[in-house]
Amino acid sequence: MSRKTYRIAVIPGDGTGPEVVAEGLKVLKAAASKFSFSLKTEMFDWGGKRYLDTGVVLPENAVETLKKFDAVFLGAIGHPDVKPGILEKGILLKLRFELDQYINLRPVKLYPGVETPLAGKTPEDIDYVVVRENTGGLYSGVGGISMKGTKDEVAVQSMVYNRTQVERCLRYAFELANRRHSGKSPWRGLDKKDIAAGKTAKLTLCGKTNVLTYVFDLWERAFHEIAVEYPQVKTDYCHVDATCMWMVKNPDWFDVIVTENMFGDIITDLGAITQGGMGIAAGGNINPNGVSMFEPIGGSAPKYTGKGIINPLAAIASAAMMLDFLGEKKAAASIEKSVMFVTGNKLKSMAAGKMGYSTSETGDLVIENLK
Ligand code: IPM
Ligand code: MN
């Protein structure tokens, strides 16, 4: 049988992006040889440096080029010398939108040995996934500013959603909740013990139906309509402000949370810190029918750049997510297990410079413990 070959576009990006991407690639290559598949990678130097050198944020054919790959692996986008918004909108958001990666999947999972700021909480308590809508809402760019610079200037930025965007996101979340229930999800979800104890999959819609009475009316109606097709998934609703409170006080209440784009952006930073911070939080921008892009959710961390002290585990965990989506389930699970071994037995802390190991030593530890 010939080995399967996956074509991966790699965008190391800015700051510590290249350092963590190098570790992710190192682990991917080790997993490929262990699990008998091949990776063909191609590097793209898009990011702040290239923009400052050439004035080009993203080459014109970038999206078409990426469409030819099986997946994209991205480090970080953001440069201290570039005005906020240019690279974020011009690269990251543009790729998410134009590749129609309509789901931003962010597991919030406390690994063994990782310190959480939530007093008394253990890995048993913190294990859920946030499904963030990734193409619409306040990010759609609808709005403008008029009479700029005058005392009467007006700025508008609208939360925009159409039925299709809402439905496809909700459907994805219901499917994911279902898969977690049957143990077919890469993120722990329910195990046999939970199911024996009568726990069921649960999907929580996070919104603001008490104020945003147009947008969340649409979300809420669609949510209940689709729920009928998934009788085995329990449904729940939580306002976004209360969601933040429960994520801190009772994270074990959550299984899968589905929410609109900006709310998802905000609550996943909160989720990330409860799972040990940006050094460990992985994510994927998913187009279930197209090219998906996997990235650690932390930024470019300019102050740690080039020192070899940044934690690569978030990038490594994102690489594992990528393999899972490509269909290499065993390799993905093996990387995740190894990451859990390393957090549980090796690293002193998840924070840059405090791990007790360098960036590349941490990558080596994951490889040594791949089983
Ligand atoms: C994220 C980031 C981005 C977002 C920024 C950099 C545009 O915060 O991936 O969460 O808002 O989505
Ligand atoms: Mn964010």
Side-chain angles (χ1 to χ4, degrees), residues 77 88-89 92-93 96 104 106 132 134 139 261 265 268-269 295 297:
I77 298 291
E88 292 87 341
K89 281 182 133 174
L92 191 61
L93 298 181
R96 286 178 184 171
N104 196 325
R106 298 185 162 181
R132 165 185 175 191
N134 211 28
Y139 283 68
N261 206 345
D265 177 45
T268 54
D269 266 30
E295 50 165 339
I297 88 170

Side-chain angles (χ1 to χ4, degrees), residues 141-150 152-157:
V142 172
I145 186 155
S146 56
M147 296 174 280
K148 192 168 175 172
T150 74
D152 293 319
E153 62 185 329
V154 183
V156 182
Q157 204 128 21

